[in-house]
């Protein structure tokens, strides 16, 4: 049997000796011995606190949570953040100037240039006398402004405001990338549903109809399975689900297919209980099983066998879907996974492979073993825990 690898990367973790950890902790305690070291540490720590709220995009809540930390980075008396339409937050002294902040930002929103403004105020104790307004950009578009307020508009404040705004831009770009990835994954799930549903729905309803007269109770049970399967497949919420839910959907799919194939389709499942709670991308297994049925066994003479295995592998779980069907030419499979050939010979394989790579990285693409007449085995390796992946 010839092997086709989507990606194969082996990563190892090396233990850290206790004395190294001790030196790191000791180094933290001694960080304050140098003013430069202390300033660097405090700046990085403050930036790390401001970053996460901004990764949801330029929103009122994110701006509010980040504003205090951004103001600390600037060392300014007050700070204001706007989007393209309104003031999102004003933080610091001189809150009576907040109603003017959006008007002051309009010129920067229009032309993307930094402004240095004199602020008139009748209150002698108010420290807000000048404002530095800088643009916030994403993909070369001005999406908002950041304004630093203080008693003076020094060159240092202008430079600091521009640097902090540039850092904020990078956080907003990360938010935009995350949003784009989410939209792309949703589009791919919609495409997968459209690809699977017509073929499967037609065959399922035909199989159910064949039992209506001869075995009404069996027809009723199959209709309930069909309803549960379609309800899960077309649900509207969540990019991720648990492996247990995904396997339950696969079982419903196989119940409906066995109604069509009868004893000609034999299925073996070996599932380790430890991996059932693992979060996985929605609809990542059912397309692999459908591929095994539709393209591995549907045209095969005699009995067809499918084996589904999910096992504990330490920090990862290993999943495989294997059939003893017709198999596929490895070169054609390579082209399908690379998007260079029609996926009509492998329903959903390219879709699932691309989604796994987007979520976990290229080292977690599908690994497929196949050859003409030798069946197909699709291997999936998933981390049990991964940032941003949870079954909500």
């Amino acid at each position: 049997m010839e092997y086709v690898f989507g990606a194969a990367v082996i990563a190892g973790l090396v233990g850290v000796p206790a004395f190294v950890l001790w030196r790191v902790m000791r180094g933290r305690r001694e960080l304050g011995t140098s003013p430069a070291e202390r300033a660097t540490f405090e700046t990085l720590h403050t930036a790390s606190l401001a970053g996460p709220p901004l990764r949801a995009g330029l929103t009122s809540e994110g701006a509010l949570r980040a504003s205090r930390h951004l103001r600390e980075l600037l060392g300014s008396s007050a700070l204001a953040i706007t989007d393209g339409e309104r003031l999102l937050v004003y933080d610091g002294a001189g809150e009576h100037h907040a109603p003017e902040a959006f008007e002051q930002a309009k010129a920067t929103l229009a032309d993307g240039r930094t402004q240095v403004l004199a602020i008139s105020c009748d209150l002698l104790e108010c420290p807000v006398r000048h404002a530095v307004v800088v643009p916030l950009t994403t993909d070369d578009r001005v999406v908002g402004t950041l304004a630093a307020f203080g008693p003076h508009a020094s060159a240092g404040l202008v430079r600091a405001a521009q640097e902090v705004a540039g850092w904020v831009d990078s956080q907003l770009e990360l938010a935009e990338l995350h949003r784009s990835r989410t939209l792309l994954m949703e589009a791919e799930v919609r495409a997968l549903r459209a690809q699977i549903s017509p073929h499967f729905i037609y065959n399922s309803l035909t199989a159910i109809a064949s039992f209506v007269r001869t075995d009404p109770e069996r027809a009723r049970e199959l209709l309930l399975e069909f309803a549960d399967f379609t309800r899960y497949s077309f649900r509207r919420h969540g990019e991720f689900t648990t492996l247990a839910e995904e396997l339950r959907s696969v079982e419903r799919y196989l119940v409906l297919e066995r109604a069509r194939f009868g004893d000609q389709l034999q299925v073996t499942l070996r599932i380790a209980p430890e991996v059932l709670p693992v979060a996985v991308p929605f609809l990542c297994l059912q397309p692999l099983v459908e591929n095994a049925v539709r393209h591995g066994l549907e045209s095969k003479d005699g009995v067809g066998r499918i084996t589904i295995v999910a096992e504990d592998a330490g920090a990862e779980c290993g999943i495989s879907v294997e059939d003893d069907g017709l198999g596929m030419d490895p070169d054609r499979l390579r082209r399908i996974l690379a998007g260079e050939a029609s996926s009509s010979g492998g329903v959903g394989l390219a879709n699932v492979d691309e989604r796994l790579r987007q979520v976990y990285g290229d080292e977690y693409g599908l690994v497929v073993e196949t050859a003409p007449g030798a069946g197909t085995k699709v291997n999936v390796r998933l981390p049990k825990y991964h940032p941003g992946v949870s079954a909500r």
Side-chain angles (χ1 to χ4, degrees), residues 51-380:
L54 295 171
R55 289 180 200 147
L58 195 56
T59 65
S60 295
E61 181 181 358
L64 177 63
R65 291 171 56 196
S67 60
R68 178 172 62 87
H69 306 300
L70 295 176
R71 185 162 61 84
E72 287 180 17
L73 286 175
L74 287 167
S76 59
S77 302
L79 174 141
I81 299 174
T82 76
D83 61 14
E85 300 178 350
R86 62 197 172 104
L87 175 69
L88 298 179
V89 64
Y90 183 98
D91 181 84
E95 288 191 9
H96 53 284
H97 292 290
E100 309 160 10
F102 185 73
E103 286 296 322
Q104 293 160 353
K106 281 186 175 179
T108 298
L109 288 171
D111 59 22
R113 296 182 181 180
T114 296
Q115 296 184 88
V116 178
L117 305 174
I119 307 293
S120 61
C121 184
D122 296 332
L123 300 177
L124 296 178
E125 67 276 14
C126 180
V128 174
R129 301 296 170 179
H130 291 84
V132 178
V133 185
V134 294
L136 298 176
T137 62
T138 301
D139 294 332
D140 297 324
R141 294 180 296 107
V142 177
V143 296
T145 65
L146 180 148
F149 298 89
H152 307 286
S154 65
L157 182 61
V158 173
R159 177 80 178 271
Q162 290 173 334
E163 292 293 333
V164 170
W167 180 84
V168 172
D169 290 348
S170 69
Q171 304 306 303
L172 297 180
E173 286 176 2
L174 286 174
E176 188 66 23
L177 284 174
H178 177 73
R179 180 175 174 272
S180 297
R181 192 202 72 164
T182 299
L183 292 174
L184 179 59
M185 289 186 64
E186 290 175 352
E188 288 177 339
V189 170
R190 287 195 297 271
L192 188 59
R193 286 167 172 158
Q195 184 180 32
I196 294 170
S197 57
H199 179 89
F200 174 73
I201 289 173
Y202 174 81
N203 286 332
S204 296
L205 293 178
T206 300
I208 293 169
S210 69
F211 288 101
V212 169
R213 289 182 180 273
T214 59
D215 192 345
E217 183 60 24
R218 173 77 167 143
R220 189 185 75 85
E221 291 172 356
L222 290 172
L223 274 173
L224 292 176
E225 294 286 357
F226 179 77
D228 288 339
F229 175 84
T230 53
R231 184 181 300 113
Y232 174 82
S233 298
F234 291 93
R235 72 178 194 175
R236 293 289 182 181
H237 59 282
E239 297 176 40
F240 305 98
T241 185
T242 63
L243 181 58
E245 285 293 324
E246 193 74 2
L247 286 168
R248 191 172 296 118
S249 176
V250 165
E251 287 184 282
R252 294 187 185 112
Y253 168 81
L254 289 170
V255 165
L256 293 163
E257 291 291 43
R258 291 195 69 183
R260 188 160 64 103
F261 289 101
D263 293 336
Q264 295 296 102
L265 174 59
Q266 296 185 3
V267 180
T268 301
L269 287 90
R270 296 200 302 271
I271 310 299
E274 296 85 356
V275 299
L276 291 175
V278 173
V280 300
F282 178 60
L283 284 183
C284 70
L285 292 186
Q286 191 273 342
L288 308 184
V289 177
E290 178 167 0
N291 184 74
V293 172
R294 182 176 174 187
H295 298 288
L297 304 176
E298 199 166 49
S299 301
K300 179 188 174 183
D301 295 330
V303 175
R305 295 176 177 83
I306 294 177
T307 302
I308 302 171
V309 177
E311 55 190 359
D312 190 1
E316 299 177 337
C317 67
I319 305 167
S320 65
V321 178
E322 183 174 10
D323 68 73
D324 63 352
L326 301 180
M328 184 183 296
D329 176 66
D331 288 333
R332 174 169 172 72
L333 178 60
R334 287 190 187 97
R335 292 195 301 272
I336 288 173
L337 292 178
E340 299 171 359
S342 168
S343 62
S344 58
V347 172
L349 284 181
N351 184 295
V352 173
D353 181 65
E354 180 64 24
R355 289 166 59 213
L356 291 176
R357 293 170 186 274
Q358 286 177 358
V359 174
Y360 302 110
D362 283 341
E363 64 269 31
Y364 289 99
L366 296 180
V367 177
V368 185
E369 307 167 25
T370 191
T376 301
K377 183 177 182 180
V378 182
N379 299 286
V380 181

